[in-house]
Each structure stands twice: as structure tokens, then as C-alpha cells.
Amino acid sequence: MPLGAKKSSIIMCGIVGYIGRRAAYPILIKGLHRLEYRGYDSAGVALINEEGQLNVYKAKGKVSELEAFAADKDTGGMIGIAHTRWATHGEPNTVNAHPHYSESERLAIIHNGIIENYAVLKAGLMEQGYTFKSETDTEVLVQLIEYTQLNEHVNLKTAVQLALQQVIGAYAIAVLDKDHPDTLIAARKGSPLVVGIGEGEYFLASDATPIVEYTDQVIYIDDEEVVSLQVGQEVDITTIGNVQKTPEIKRLELSLSQLEKGGYPHFMLKEIFEQPRTLTDSMRGRVNVRQDNIALSGFIDNKERFLSAKRIIITACGTSWHAGLIAMYAIEEFAQIPVEVEYSSEFRYRKPVINKDDVVIAISQSGETADTLAAIQLAKSKGAFIFSICNVIGASIPRVSDSGCYTHVGPEIGVASTKAFTAQVVALTMLALCIGKEKGTLSEENYLKIVRELGQIPDKIERVLGQNKRIADFAKTFTYAQNFIYLGRGYNFPVAMEGALKLKEISYIHAEGYPAAEMKHGPIALISQEMPVVVVAPHCGTYEKVVSNIQEIKARKGRVIAIVTEGDELVSKIADYVIEVPETEECLTPLLTVIPLQLLAYHIAVVKGCDVDQPRNLAKSVTVE
Ligand code: AGP
């Protein structure tokens, strides 16, 4: 079974619906603005006006661009649906934006999620003569609903029930039928959907943020449920098998600001806790633990380029550069191809030697970092093959790359990168494993061992997150510090650097990451009680040597926070604070050891009263030099 099939997807499109006694359009647009925090690349709205016309307006870009487009259009009507799209199937553009009409233009649909069997459904509909305007899985669904209505002679609700019985995947949908302007139908599986109950009006949304200002009475729709909203009628909920359900009305407790953060105090903490699910999403359809296999289309389509590469150059900035450093260890270990990891800002100006048989891997969460974009444009001009690891579909860097791999972790709102980093490490590890297996430099046995362990990582991260409270408690004792030093060896040297960057950028405490063995070449002169030392010391290759480094620090009265493997008996006797992470393969330890460092930085910054999500002087995407 593909990894994580049981977990809900966090694909982050936004859905808003309204049916009632007021003009729908202003409520829908305001609702889309409320959902902007989720990130998106296009927006649209569908309305049934008083004359029974079904009008659909959509635009690439921001909600404000949709408003400008619709400014001189007929936006009348007291029933409508609206959508912000975070592209998964098909480029971000107006054609692929939602809502989608059915072929007759009698129906309109909006959708959040992924229909995994859309290709099979689409082929069946094309055999029935249906044609399609977009590349989306959503348009297939609305055509299937219309086809079902016409062939089974049923109403919209029944057609939606029957169509969804054929669907595999995650969905939250809302559908309008212009021949029935008194009814709004919605359904969900795997993507959230909530109904707001007003006075003579109903609201629908992906989460309660567009609803909370109108009502605190809500119903959370459950998986495989279909809801029918009609003014003057009670909310009608059935399963897709048409079993009647009793709606469970709840009272909203959270404020608007809390709702946007999913109940967390900051986006950064929400994104740290999302990592088990985002890594599951990131590996979905790629790491198949039952088939003992990794399928990375960007590698499969360009196998020869990787197998014939004399050298791999990795170019990135900041946290993405740290992911690249980890990739260097994995690619050289498994694929035995020389790897150079470059700061993009240096690489683009230092007149580097770049050959046609070089493979250049660009890593960028935003896909818009100016230095990284310039670095790959330079490499491309020299004939190198460009492969990018990015989180934003259709961003500048993937657009100029020859191929790549999207991390699919949804928008990362916190300026300090967390879930994107772990997804980058997973993507790069998968790539290293694929190259090694194909080249024969990685044994089948080791390949299988690591693939299977990859499947366990989300649950193991969940266990590390369980120590959040403990880390928060002892983080308070370190807010006095002016300086930190972070140490690690091997795969965990880049983790030490990443931990230091996290602390620096959100708590404004100076911190450096160092290879642990480098202490004796200078930094050990700094050791004192005033400078906490974080040592990443899981059970792997150089564990004993890291223990010696800790002893050297303790001998000089240093205070040590150690990240160790569960059951460690040696370090836990000498370090001042110990955080345990589950045992895993050495190349996968960064995915676990970075979690406590993310939490430590977060809690120290919170105690210091820093603006965790928007640290001073920083931007989420550095699109300037
Ligand atoms: C990481 O926490 C920082 N926000 C920053 O170093 C970031 O990683 C860097 O600017 C690169 O951004 P990118 O991944 O979007 O290219």
C-alpha cells in the first residue's frame, strides 16, 4: 500500500460556499481573503444569479486579481462557491483554476485534494464523448457527476454520491446546478470541510476562518459524507452510500487568528508538527514500502544523465544549502559520484568550472531565490543538466530546470524553514538511493533496508514531537545566552549547522554549527558556562568520537544539550540535558535529530518574545541579491 494512504492529505486549496438571504459574492470574496494564509496561485468564483444564470469567473494570481477581473461582470446571486488553488495537477493558470464547468455548463465544481484514479475516469468519459478544457483531476469529477445525473436520471445529491463511490483519493468539493439554484451540495474525504449555520443562511469552507465572523455554530463534515444545504431546510447529511446521518453542531472556540494557525500559537510550530503528515504527502506515490521501491519520475525520465554524471554540483542558500550538504553524504555514499555543495551567491560569481556532463541540483523551498536562480542559469548556459527540488509548483526555478522533484508539503508560512527542510532531505535521499541502486553501487539489501526505514520516519518524528513540552521547559533556562555552538559529525554536521541557523534567525542569539572534531582547532577556546553547546550524538559511525568531544567540553565547564538515540546510556550520564530520538539508519538520522533543534529554537525565541513567524530583517523568499 502506498505510504501514508491512511493519513489525510494537507493539499492546501481553499474552499468557500454560501447560500442564503444575502448577496453571495462579497461573502465569498472575503472568505477567500481569509484563506489566503494557506498559500495559492489562482482563484475563482461561481454564482447563480436571480435569472438562473451560472456565472464562473477565475484568474491566475491573487484574489485581488479575481476581484479586478469580476469588477465589471454580473456577480449577482444569493448562492455561490469560491476557491483558491494550490496547484498539484496542471500549471497554475486560468484554465486550470477552479471552479470548473461541466461540459453543458449546467454544473460548476470546486475541489481541494487529489483524485488518484482521475486518468481512468477521464478515459471512460472520453469514450462517452466528453471533452476537457483543463489538465485537472477536478474537471474529470464534475464531468463524472453530470454523466451520472444524465444516465441515472437522478438529482445532483444522488449523482454526487454515486460519482464519489467511483473515486479513489482525497477530496473536499462543492457543486452547483443552475437548474436547482436552491441547493448547494458538498462532500469530503481526506480534505477538511466545515458548515457554518447562520440565520436563514449557510456557509461552507475548508476551515472555520471564513465562517467565524458570521456564526459560531458549525458542523465538521466527516469522511465520505455528502451535505445538502437549502435555505429553510435543516442541514442534510448522508454518507456517499446514502445513509442518513445526524448533524453534530459544535460551537467554535477559536479566534480567527488562532484558526489560521490550526490552533497553534505560530505558523512555525504548526509546520513543525505537520512534518509527519507532510513527509507522508511528500513520499506518497514515490516510496512504496510494499513494493520495496522508490519511484521518482524526475530520475526515471533522466536516468542516463545521472548515471553518466562525472560530478554533481548542488547549489542553494540557507536551510536549503544544509539539505544539500546532507545530500552530499548520501550521494557519495550510495552513488559514489563526487558532489560539490555551493552557496548560490558564491557559485554565480566565482567563475566556476562547469562541464556539459555535470548535473546541477538546485534546492529551493520558494523556487524564487535570486542567487539560486542565477546560479542555475549560469550552469544551464554551460550545458549542465539542471534538476531542482522545490516546494512551489510553477515557480521560477522549476520553470528553468530540465527536471525536478516537488516536495509537496503545502505552503510554508513561517520564515524559518522546517517542514520544507525535512522534505528536501527526503527527496534528496530518495534520489541518492535511486542513483545508487541503478548504478549498482548500493546493494539491493541496503537499498531495501533504507527504503523500508524511510516508511517508518513519519511515525518516528511523531514520537520526537511528543517531547515538545519537555523541550519547552528546559529551553527557558537558555534565554540568557548570547552565544551557542552546535556540533555534529557526518550526516549530523549539516544538522548542527541547521540547528544553529534556526536559533539565530528567530531568537537573534548568535550560534555557530561546527563539525565536532573541529573544536580542538579553535572553538574550544570559547567554551564556558555562558555558552551552551548543543551536540547531535545519535548512535552511528562516529558516536564514540562525539562522546570524547562532549567529555572535552565538560572538562572545561561547558553546558551540553545532547540529542541522542533512545536508550543511550553513555552521553546521558555526562550531558546536562538529553533529548532522545528513535533509532534509525545513519543516513536518515537528520530527519529525527533536526526536530528537537527546531523545537529548541522555537521555544527559546518564544520565551524571548521574538516574532517567531516574521523575524526581524528576514523575508520568506529572498528574491533580491
Ligand atoms: C531558512 O530558515 C531561512 N528562511 C533561509 O535560510 C532560507 O532557507 C533561504 O533563504 C533559502 O530559501 P529557498 O529555500 O526558498 O531558496
Side-chain angles (χ1 to χ4, degrees), residues 317-320 363-366 369 415-417 501-502 505 622:
C317 302
T319 286
S320 298
I363 308 169
S364 176
Q365 187 285 132
S366 63
T369 298
V415 165
S417 185
L501 175 60
K502 287 284 102 40
E505 64 178 324
V622 184

Side-chain angles (χ1 to χ4, degrees), residues 313-333 339-343 361 363 421 424-425 428-429 432 488-498 513-515 587 590:
I313 299 168
I314 296 176
T315 184
C317 302
T319 286
S320 298
W321 186 85
H322 297 147
L325 218 45
I326 292 170
M328 175 183 74
Y329 286 84
I331 295 171
E332 294 204 349
E333 178 180 358
V339 177
E340 290 168 23
V341 186
E342 300 273 359
Y343 281 115
I361 298 177
I363 308 169
F421 171 73
Q424 290 166 347
V425 172
L428 290 156
T429 304
R489 285 180 183 247
Y491 282 92
N492 285 287
F493 156 47
V495 175
M497 295 188 73
E498 171 60 11
Y514 253 93
C587 66

Side-chain angles (χ1 to χ4, degrees), residues 46 58 74 143 198 215 245 254 262 279 334 376 433 446 458 520 526 533 548 589:
K58 43 191 188 177
D74 173 358
Q143 302 283 46
T215 175
K245 302 294 289 278
L254 295 173
L279 287 185
F334 303 138
I376 57 179
L433 292 169
N446 280 336
K520 53 187 171 299
L526 292 171
V533 181
S548 312
T589 51

Side-chain angles (χ1 to χ4, degrees), residues 48-282:
I48 303 176
N49 66 15
E50 300 293 289
E51 296 71 43
Q53 286 160 340
L54 174 58
N55 294 312
V56 170
Y57 308 121
K58 43 191 188 177
K60 183 171 184 267
K62 295 299 175 197
V63 174
S64 52
E65 286 163 78
L66 170 65
E67 290 178 89
F69 176 73
D72 60 350
K73 307 285 191 310
D74 173 358
T75 55
M78 296 189 282
I79 176 173
I81 55 179
H83 185 266
T84 49
R85 179 174 183 245
W86 174 263
T88 54
H89 288 77
E91 287 297 297
N93 59 32
T94 305
V95 169
N96 289 331
H98 303 200
H100 286 282
Y101 275 122
S102 62
E103 185 139 65
S104 66
E105 300 201 349
R106 181 167 53 78
L107 306 182
I109 193 173
I110 55 178
H111 167 225
N112 177 17
I114 292 183
I115 308 293
E116 293 176 17
N117 62 331
Y118 83 98
V120 171
L121 297 172
K122 184 169 186 174
L125 289 161
M126 290 173 84
E127 280 169 18
Q128 302 296 329
Y130 279 83
T131 58
F132 293 84
K133 297 183 180 65
S134 78
E135 308 159 74
T136 65
D137 52 344
T138 306
E139 191 184 8
V140 173
L141 185 52
V142 73
Q143 302 283 46
L144 179 62
I145 293 168
E146 176 159 276
Y147 170 75
T148 306
Q149 248 186 327
L150 298 175
N151 286 276
E152 305 292 335
H153 310 292
V154 293
N155 67 17
L156 181 61
K157 179 176 120 178
T158 307
V160 167
Q161 290 171 339
L162 295 174
L164 292 179
Q165 288 172 24
Q166 301 173 58
V167 159
I168 299 170
Y171 54 79
I173 61 170
V175 195
L176 295 181
D177 179 344
K178 75 175 184 176
D179 293 349
H180 296 279
D182 60 345
T183 306
L184 199 167
I185 301 289
R188 69 146 285 178
K189 180 183 176 191
S191 293
L193 205 54
V194 58
V195 171
I197 301 167
E199 291 297 319
E201 57 188 0
Y202 288 116
F203 304 86
L204 180 75
S206 307
D207 64 42
T209 47
I211 293 173
V212 66
E213 64 192 275
Y214 304 105
T215 175
D216 64 359
Q217 302 299 304
V218 294
I219 299 169
Y220 290 94
I221 306 304
D222 286 329
D223 274 358
E224 296 196 345
E225 285 186 350
V226 179
V227 57
S228 174
L229 301 175
Q230 292 184 306
V231 174
Q233 305 283 333
E234 293 299 310
V235 174
D236 169 70
I237 298 180
T238 66
T239 66
I240 59 172
N242 200 31
V243 173
Q244 201 65 39
K245 302 294 289 278
T246 306
E248 197 184 335
I249 299 175
K250 292 195 165 59
R251 202 167 74 75
L252 264 182
E253 306 288 335
L254 295 173
S255 68
L256 176 61
S257 160
Q258 287 171 320
L259 281 165
E260 285 175 343
K261 302 182 184 82
Y264 289 95
H266 299 98
F267 281 112
M268 182 180 176
L269 190 61
K270 173 175 176 249
E271 288 155 4
I272 290 172
F273 273 80
E274 275 179 347
Q275 290 176 107
R277 280 183 304 143
T278 51
L279 287 185
T280 299
D281 279 348
S282 206

Side-chain angles (χ1 to χ4, degrees), residues 355-408:
N355 305 314
K356 285 191 177 6
D357 57 5
D358 283 339
V359 167
V360 173
I361 298 177
I363 308 169
S364 176
Q365 187 285 132
S366 63
E368 300 298 345
T369 298
D371 284 325
T372 303
L373 185 56
I376 57 179
Q377 283 163 334
L378 169 65
K380 203 174 170 75
S381 71
K382 306 264 184 183
F385 176 76
I386 312 299
F387 187 88
S388 57
I389 309 274
C390 183
N391 190 41
V392 180
I393 291 180
S396 304
I397 287 173
R399 279 210 307 275
V400 301
S401 301
D402 296 303
S403 181
C405 167
Y406 283 115
T407 45
H408 285 317

